[in-house]
Amino acid sequence: DGRRGVMILARAPLRITLGGGGTDLPSYYAERGGFVVSAAIDISDGLAADLGHLCQTSGVGARVLAADVPLSPAARAALARGEASLPQLITGGDDYELLLAIPGTRGAELQRGCAQLGVPLSRIGEFTRSPELVFLDTLGAPITLGAGGYRHF
């Protein structure tokens, strides 16, 4: 359920395990007063498409500040050279990162905890009661994204 949450994008895949190796984030947060993620989705169909899936399932909308979306060095370089546009990067797929819905009071806590584990997280926007999914440019104007994203059917 993404209601009343802020969105945070994981820049590197979280190594969540249920036993074995890696970092067991559920246990890490359970020991510190509870796990704080209320919803999550992998970004494999593109940020806009997968955020749309999360919003639709939760009955909410979202407002995203495009400038806050963490881009890889290669994506930033392609953008600077004019080889890709921001809408293409936002709607492209195969990112294999996580989009997390965090209650507003716990987002900074999760960012600090994950930073201690070497997993940087960036707040990119917030959920809204209105059903629209809006990406905003640096001036606060909506960005036209087009179709983009992977379509399964």
Side-chain angles (χ1 to χ4, degrees):
D1 170 351
R3 290 183 193 90
R4 297 179 314 279
V6 297
M7 292 172 294
I8 298 180
L9 178 71
R11 290 176 49 147
L14 293 175
R15 298 167 308 182
I16 298 176
T17 65
L18 298 177
T23 301
D24 187 351
L25 279 177
S27 294
Y28 177 84
Y29 282 98
E31 294 167 3
R32 288 157 180 81
F35 196 61
V36 298
V37 174
S38 57
I41 189 168
D42 72 305
I43 304 171
S44 57
D45 295 345
L47 173 59
D50 286 318
L51 177 56
H53 299 322
L54 184 61
C55 287
Q56 183 176 22
T57 299
S58 299
V60 297
R63 185 174 55 241
V64 175
L65 301 176
D68 292 344
V69 174
L71 300 176
S72 69
R76 282 194 301 275
L79 193 60
R81 289 190 303 266
E83 296 170 357
S85 68
L86 191 55
Q88 287 174 312
L89 296 174
I90 290 172
T91 58
D94 294 332
D95 297 308
Y96 302 105
E97 302 292 352
L98 293 176
L99 184 69
L100 309 173
I102 313 295
T105 59
R106 308 286 301 269
E109 172 191 345
L110 182 64
Q111 283 180 295
R112 283 190 305 274
C114 285
Q116 292 173 1
L117 300 172
V119 182
L121 301 179
S122 299
R123 177 181 174 165
I124 61 169
E126 61 190 9
F127 289 99
T128 62
R129 293 182 190 273
S130 135
E132 292 86 25
L133 173 57
V134 180
F135 284 80
L136 302 172
D137 66 16
T138 55
L139 300 175
I143 297 172
T144 302
L145 297 179
Y150 181 78
R151 306 227 186 278
H152 293 272
F153 303 100

